[in-house]
C-alpha cells in the first residue's frame, strides 16, 4: 500500500473516532426530573337541592303541637275538669267535658271524678257540676243565707266568689239598696265581708238630740291630744313607749326595808343577856 493511501485511511479513522466521541457526549444520561406537584386546593361540594320535593313546613315552637290533655297525668286532667266545671256553673255531661278538654273519659278518670269532693255527680242525668263552698248563686240565696246566721261573724266574699262569677256585681247591687252591710279593703276598695242589714235595729233619732250632737265642736286632729290631756284623759294615739317616767323620783320616795338578821351563838346565856336592839338612848326599854 502506498504512503498516500495509508495517510488517507488514517485520516478517515481519526474522523470516525472523533464523530463517535461527539455523539457519546451529546447523548448523555438524562438528568432525573423532580415531579411537579400541583398546588393543593380545597374543593367545596355544593349541596344538591332536589327541587321536585316540597319544602318542609317550619315548626312554630311558641305553640304546642298537641293541645289535648291525653299525655298528661290523670290528676292533672282532674284539675282541668274541676276548673272547667267551675267556669261553667251548670251541670255538664261527659261528652261536653271530653270535647272541651280533648280527652278520653276513661273508666279510671270517671271514677275519680265521681268521688271528687268538689264535684257533684248526678247519676240520673249522668252529669257533673262544680260544688262551691256555699251553694249561693243569686241575690235571694245570699239574703236567705245571711238571715239564717245565728252569729254576727259575717260571710267572706272570697268564699262567695268560689263558683259564683256574679258575686261582686250582686253584692254591689244589694249594698246600694241597703239590704246588706259590706266592709271593703283599704288598698283597692274591694268587698271583703258581708252581713245582713237588719232593719229592726234602725233607730229614729229625735231632731233636738241631733242638733245638740252637731253643735259639739271637735278639735282639730293636731290639737286633740292636748285637749284630752287637759281633761285628764290619756290619748290613745300616744305610744306608751314614748312616755318618759321620772324613775329617780319614784326610787327616791320608796325606801328599802332593811332586814337585819342576827345569828345567836350563845344560846346558853339566853336567860342572862338581853337583846341590844331594844337599847335606846333613854336606857333599856321596859
Amino acid at each position: 500500500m502506498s504512503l498516500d493511501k495509508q495517510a488517507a485511511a488514517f485520516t478517515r479513522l481519526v474522523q470516525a473516532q472523533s464523530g463517535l466521541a461527539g455523539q457519546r457526549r451529546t447523548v448523555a444520561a438524562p438528568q432525573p426530573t423532580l415531579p411537579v406537584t400541583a398546588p393543593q386546593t380545597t374543593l367545596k361540594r355544593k349541596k344538591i337541592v332536589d327541587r321536585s320535593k316540597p319544602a318542609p313546613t317550619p315548626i312554630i315552637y311558641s305553640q304546642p303541637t298537641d293541645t289535648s290533655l291525653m299525655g298528661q297525668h290523670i290528676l292533672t286532667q282532674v284539675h282541668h275538669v274541676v276548673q272547667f266545671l267551675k267556669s261553667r256553673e251548670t251541670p255538664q255531661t261527659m261528652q261536653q267535658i271530653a270535647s272541651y278538654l280533648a280527652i278520653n273519659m276513661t273508666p279510671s278518670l270517671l271514677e275519680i271524678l265521681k268521688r271528687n269532693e268538689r264535684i257533684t255527680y248526678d247519676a240520673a242525668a249522668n252529669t257533673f257540676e262544680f260544688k262551691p263552698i256555699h251553694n249561693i248563686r243569686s241575690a235571694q240565696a245570699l239574703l236567705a243565707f245571711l238571715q239564717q246566721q245565728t252569729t254576727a261573724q259575717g260571710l267572706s266574699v272570697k268564699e262567695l266568689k268560689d263558683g259564683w262569677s256574679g258575686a261582686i256585681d250582686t253584692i254591689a247591687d244589694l249594698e246600694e239598696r241597703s239590704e246588706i252591710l259590706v266592709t271593703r279593703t283599704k288598698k283597692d276598695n274591694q268587698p271583703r265581708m258581708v252581713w245582713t242589714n237588719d232593719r229592726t235595729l234602725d233607730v229614729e233619732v229625735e231632731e233636738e238630740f241631733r242638733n245638740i250632737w252637731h253643735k259639739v265642736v271637735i278639735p282639730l286632729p293636731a290639737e286633740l291630744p292636748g285637749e284630752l290631756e287637759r281633761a285628764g284623759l290619756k290619748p290613745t294615739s300616744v305610744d306608751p313607749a314614748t312616755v318618759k317616767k321620772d324613775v329617780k323620783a319614784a326610787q327616791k320616795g320608796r325606801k328599802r326595808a332593811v332586814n337585819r338578821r342576827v345569828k345567836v351563838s350563845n344560846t346558853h346565856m339566853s336567860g342572862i343577856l338581853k337583846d341590844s336592839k331594844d337599847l335606846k338612848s333613854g336606857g333599856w326599854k321596859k
Side-chain angles (χ1 to χ4, degrees), residues 130-142:
F130 179 75
K131 183 190 297 182
I133 299 176
H134 304 285
N135 190 17
I136 301 173
R137 290 194 175 96
S138 64
Q140 293 76 12
L142 176 59

Side-chain angles (χ1 to χ4, degrees), residues 29-59:
Q31 296 293 333
T33 57
L34 296 175
V36 179
T37 58
Q40 295 182 358
T41 57
T42 303
L43 299 178
K44 295 183 179 180
R45 296 182 179 180
K46 294 184 178 181
K47 185 177 180 180
I48 301 175
V49 180
D50 190 0
R51 303 285 183 180
S52 61
K53 295 182 179 180
T57 304
I59 301 175

Side-chain angles (χ1 to χ4, degrees), residues 107-120:
S108 57
L109 179 59
L110 285 175
E111 187 63 25
I112 294 176
L113 293 178
K114 292 177 182 179
R115 293 185 288 105
N116 193 288
E117 59 182 6
R118 300 308 306 272
I119 297 177
T120 302

Side-chain angles (χ1 to χ4, degrees), residues 213-224 227:
W213 176 271
H214 292 298
K215 287 180 180 179
V216 176
V217 180
I218 300 177
L220 296 175
E223 301 175 356
L224 188 58
E227 294 291 338

